Amino acid sequence: MSTTTSTPPEAGARPLIDRAQYGLAAFLVLTGGYVLYDASGLEEGFADQPVQPYAVSYVVGAILVLLGVLLGIATARGDLPESDEGEDIDLTQGTDVRTVALLAAVLVANIALINVLGWAITGALLFVGATQALGSRTLVRDVCVGVALSVGSWYAFYVGLGVPIPAGILDGVL
């Protein structure tokens, strides 16, 4: 968790300008503006709906714009985020490229195979691949948890929410 500190500049010192915070503020305002613009093109739903489909988009867009403006004001006032001390991360070590590459490969394989094999299978493979890449040594447990999560989430989305997720080769079985 980061907190902000407001330290007045010493006499004669130039105030520190955090350009990254200004960039984030601009990004939030632009993203919120785009969401508001995009929401204006949505069609109205049924007359009996108390909340129209575009209502959430307007709320999200307005919140993004407001947060961007508030961040810009806070940055201009000199509020700076507290620097990260790394907690339990050794900041002197480099990135583990092998782990990142394995995670990327598992994600790309999931994207490539989801329409053929379906979410129930690729979701389990995604879970197992990610846990193995991150160093898990309990393959049987990882497979059981991965299958339970992927099949459970498939039913939750497909049956519970009505969101069609590919069943792949298990079409008719699930």
Side-chain angles (χ1 to χ4, degrees), residues 72-159:
I73 291 170
T75 303
R77 292 179 54 195
D79 289 343
L80 298 173
E82 192 174 301
S83 63
D84 186 19
E85 296 184 21
E87 296 176 13
D88 61 342
I89 301 169
D90 186 6
L91 297 176
T92 61
Q93 296 295 318
T95 302
D96 185 5
V97 178
R98 179 183 175 276
T99 301
V100 173
L102 287 172
L103 289 172
V106 167
L107 185 60
V108 168
N110 186 16
I111 293 169
L113 297 173
I114 192 165
N115 285 330
V116 177
L117 298 178
W119 172 251
I121 295 174
T122 60
L125 292 175
L126 176 67
F127 182 84
V128 172
T131 57
Q132 294 297 306
L134 293 172
S136 175
R137 287 172 275 178
T138 55
L139 182 63
V140 173
R141 182 182 64 192
D142 294 342
V143 169
C144 292
V145 170
V147 167
L149 286 174
S150 64
V151 170
S153 62
W154 186 87
Y155 275 111
F157 277 91
Y158 198 82
V159 176

Side-chain angles (χ1 to χ4, degrees), residues 32-44 53-55 57-58:
Y34 179 75
V35 169
L36 290 172
Y37 167 74
D38 195 39
S40 67
L42 293 175
E43 297 178 13
E44 291 191 19
Y54 52 79
S57 299
Y58 280 126

